[in-house]
Amino acid sequence: MAGRLDGKTALITGGARGQGAAEANLFAEEGATVVITDVLDSDGEATAAGSDRIRYLHHDVTNEDEWISVVQDVLEDHGKIDAFINNAGIYRQSPIASLSVEEYMEVININQVGVFLGLKHVGPVMCEAGSGSIINISSIAGMRGGPGSLAYSASKWAVRGMTKVAMGEFAPSGVRVNSIHPGLIETPMLHQLPAIEQGLTDQLVRRIPYGRIAEAVEVARLALFLASDDSEYMNGTEFIIDGGMIQGI
Ligand code: NAP
């Protein structure tokens, strides 16, 4: 049976584990050749070992030289990038009064500058080819603000805004840019939330109308849709996947 991404090449940052790894596995099952990048080398190699369609490269998204070499590497091996997921990210929790500039900048550098560098180095390659789908991973924290998440929220609002600018610049060249806004997703990052660390998962789940935390593969299915030609004409749009959480109950 034909895969939904047959013949396509995908690049996914932060793909060693969590949502990025789920996306890599699903994309590979659907026929894509996938390059995952991350700073967690052993997790990245382990994810790549699960499929002969997935390859791992070490890549810190805050480092522009590494972006240049990753993009060159993918183009040398595969000739093109059809789908790109700006996925790498970190979460840090701190009240504003005790948030250090160092911690704020760490989050901004990875979550915001990392996404900017991805747009800067992958966008033009896709524009030159005349097609491509860029998927920026924001969050429902890029639409609301929760106590203790100032740096994270600032970075995710920025990702939402950068998506609109990139969409306007790249659309005339046939490249689409959309953002995904996950709610609570079962990955290692989720376990950094204070409520989960303190064993108060039930309290959090009560705020989700659909009544449960999502699995990473559920976000991967949305990313698959956006990477595929099925989402042709969807551009500059915010895709919320949160079980209804931000609509509130
Ligand atoms: P995850 O399992 O922690 O995956 C994120 C990956 O990015 C990790 O492997 C992480 O490695 C890596 N990374 C961190 N800094 C990096 C850097 N400088 N360069 C390259 N890779 C780096 O978390 P996830 O839930 O899959 O997160 C994926 C995306 O979804 C993130 O953008 C996150 O903000 C977003 N998101 C997650 C949730 C959720 O509930 N899980 C909700 C909304 C949005 P380290 O271990 O070194 O950090």
Side-chain angles (χ1 to χ4, degrees), residues 61-64 67 86 105-121 155 158-159 162:
V61 295
T62 66
N63 184 318
E64 188 161 18
W67 270 107
N86 245 327
M105 289 312 301
E106 181 194 18
V107 174
I108 296 299
N109 276 328
I110 295 172
N111 295 8
Q112 179 175 335
V113 178
V115 168
F116 150 56
L117 291 174
L119 293 168
K120 177 178 173 180
H121 291 285
S155 71
V159 170
M162 288 191 287

Side-chain angles (χ1 to χ4, degrees), residues 40 109 130 138 145 185 198:
L40 297 180
N109 276 328
S138 176
I185 315 300
Q198 292 158 21

Side-chain angles (χ1 to χ4, degrees), residues 11-14 37 58-74 81 84-88 109-110 113-122:
L11 173 63
I12 305 173
T13 65
T37 74
H58 178 90
H59 171 210
D60 176 348
V61 295
T62 66
N63 184 318
E64 188 161 18
D65 290 339
E66 290 185 22
W67 270 107
I68 292 166
S69 75
V70 161
V71 170
Q72 260 172 7
D73 198 323
V74 177
I81 303 171
F84 166 47
I85 311 184
N86 245 327
N87 168 76
N109 276 328
I110 295 172
V113 178
V115 168
F116 150 56
L117 291 174
L119 293 168
K120 177 178 173 180
H121 291 285
V122 179

Side-chain angles (χ1 to χ4, degrees), residues 14 16-20 37-40 59-62 87-90 110-111 137-140 152 156 182-185 187-190:
R17 68 176 196 200
Q19 293 172 58
T37 74
D38 208 297
V39 289
L40 297 180
H59 171 210
D60 176 348
V61 295
T62 66
N87 168 76
I90 60 169
I110 295 172
N111 295 8
I137 306 299
S138 176
S139 168
I140 55 171
Y152 185 76
K156 293 301 186 180
L184 298 180
I185 315 300
T187 70
M189 182 182 286
L190 183 76

Side-chain angles (χ1 to χ4, degrees), residues 6-7 24 27-35 48 50-55:
D6 276 350
F27 283 22
E29 279 168 29
E30 291 289 342
T33 299
V34 185
V35 177
S51 166
D52 57 10
R53 289 183 183 277
I54 304 176
R55 191 173 146 227

